[in-house]
Amino acid sequence: MKIQVADLEFEPFIASDEIAKRVRVIGEQLNVDYKHTIPLFIGVLNGSFIFIADLVKHVTIPCEITFTKLASYYGGLSSTGKIRDDFDLNVNIEGRHIILIEDIVETGNTLNYLIDKLEVRKPASISVCTLLLKKSELKTPIVELKYTGFEIDNDYVIGYGLDYHELGRNLKEIYRKVSE
Ligand code: IMP
């Protein structure tokens, strides 16, 4: 069923059971890849809050979870290219295995900004896990991007943490903007 959010119409795109299956597979893969370590998950707020919560339920190895907050969109439909640091990490990451959890990667600007910022703090490793990737929009390949839920076209999406003008984050499924 189509829904109206602010001035735009959205249609169902990725169903919640499909998301749940994919999240489980990624969680199980992380258990294998990070066996014998205590990784530190860093959720990038706001958009990743549902994804990280569901993902870590499938993580059975010891791990730590923290958050940082960046904003790159300012509520519109396209990236402004500007990144605002809303709150920083309060954890020492030196020598730690970091897994950054993102809702969506588009140009990769936000992620590159964050990776550069964290690298100077000398973690043992950084990898990135994003629920969604708009692959055609990625400016340069990001080697740290090891786990992707779904590769999608360049459609504006909301739900499962993602917003349009701060609305729609609470939707269980992922919706995409209806094209005019
Ligand atoms: P990037 O810096 O261009 O990779 O953009 C990533 C950020 O833009 C994400 O963390 C989101 O906040 C936002 N974003 C990109 N595409 C969408 C979308 O389709 N829906 C909602 N937010 C998006």
Side-chain angles (χ1 to χ4, degrees), residues 10 44-47 70-74 76-81 83 102-112 132 134 137-138 142 152-159 161-164 169 175:
F10 290 85
V44 185
L45 294 173
N46 291 332
L70 293 178
S72 62
Y73 239 70
Y74 296 87
L77 274 185
S78 59
S79 180
T80 57
I83 297 159
E102 272 279 13
D103 53 350
I104 187 161
V105 176
E106 190 176 322
T107 61
N109 284 341
T110 312
L111 203 52
N112 278 322
L132 302 170
K134 292 184 183 175
E137 304 310 297
L138 202 57
I142 300 179
I152 63 168
D153 290 337
N154 187 20
D155 295 312
Y156 197 83
V157 291
I158 59 167
L162 290 124
D163 76 302
Y164 172 58
R169 293 194 195 276
Y175 286 74

Side-chain angles (χ1 to χ4, degrees), residues 41-72:
F41 286 92
I42 303 179
V44 185
L45 294 173
N46 291 332
S48 73
F49 77 105
I50 298 183
F51 178 39
I52 190 170
D54 284 347
L55 181 67
V56 295
K57 289 179 209 161
H58 298 291
V59 173
T60 49
I61 55 170
C63 64
E64 291 179 28
I65 301 160
T66 189
F67 294 91
T68 187
K69 186 167 184 222
L70 293 178
S72 62

Side-chain angles (χ1 to χ4, degrees), residues 9 15 44 48 56 100 105 113 122 133 143 169 174 177 179:
E9 207 179 10
V44 185
S48 73
V56 295
L100 285 175
V105 176
Y113 172 88
K122 300 188 173 60
L133 171 64
V143 285
R169 293 194 195 276
I174 295 174
K177 183 174 148 312
S179 46

Side-chain angles (χ1 to χ4, degrees), residues 9-168:
E9 207 179 10
F10 290 85
E11 60 191 4
F13 180 35
I14 309 176
S16 52
D17 58 340
E18 233 185 301
I19 301 171
K21 268 190 229 153
R22 191 72 191 111
V23 171
R24 173 188 286 271
V25 169
I26 296 173
E28 288 169 353
Q29 186 63 49
L30 292 170
N31 289 329
V32 176
D33 294 353
Y34 286 86
K35 191 170 56 171
H36 309 310
T37 70
I38 302 179
L40 173 64
F41 286 92
I42 303 179
V44 185
L45 294 173
N46 291 332
S48 73
F49 77 105
I50 298 183
F51 178 39
I52 190 170
D54 284 347
L55 181 67
V56 295
K57 289 179 209 161
H58 298 291
V59 173
T60 49
I61 55 170
C63 64
E64 291 179 28
I65 301 160
T66 189
F67 294 91
T68 187
K69 186 167 184 222
L70 293 178
S72 62
Y73 239 70
Y74 296 87
L77 274 185
S78 59
S79 180
T80 57
K82 280 191 213 144
I83 297 159
R84 197 178 66 209
D85 249 302
D86 279 0
F87 63 74
D88 201 356
L89 286 176
N90 55 359
V91 183
N92 179 5
I93 63 166
E94 192 173 338
R96 301 298 306 271
H97 293 282
I98 304 297
I99 307 173
L100 285 175
I101 306 296
E102 272 279 13
D103 53 350
I104 187 161
V105 176
E106 190 176 322
T107 61
N109 284 341
T110 312
L111 203 52
N112 278 322
Y113 172 88
L114 190 55
I115 291 170
D116 287 351
K117 203 173 105 168
L118 297 182
E119 251 164 10
V120 296
R121 303 181 192 180
K122 300 188 173 60
S125 67
I126 301 180
S127 70
V128 180
C129 172
T130 184
L131 178 67
L132 302 170
L133 171 64
K134 292 184 183 175
K135 204 172 182 183
S136 64
E137 304 310 297
L138 202 57
K139 282 194 189 153
T140 51
I142 300 179
V143 285
E144 291 85 355
L145 189 47
K146 302 220 174 85
Y147 308 92
T148 299
F150 302 91
E151 285 182 10
I152 63 168
D153 290 337
N154 187 20
D155 295 312
Y156 197 83
V157 291
I158 59 167
Y160 199 73
L162 290 124
D163 76 302
Y164 172 58
H165 286 306
E166 292 304 323
L167 297 170

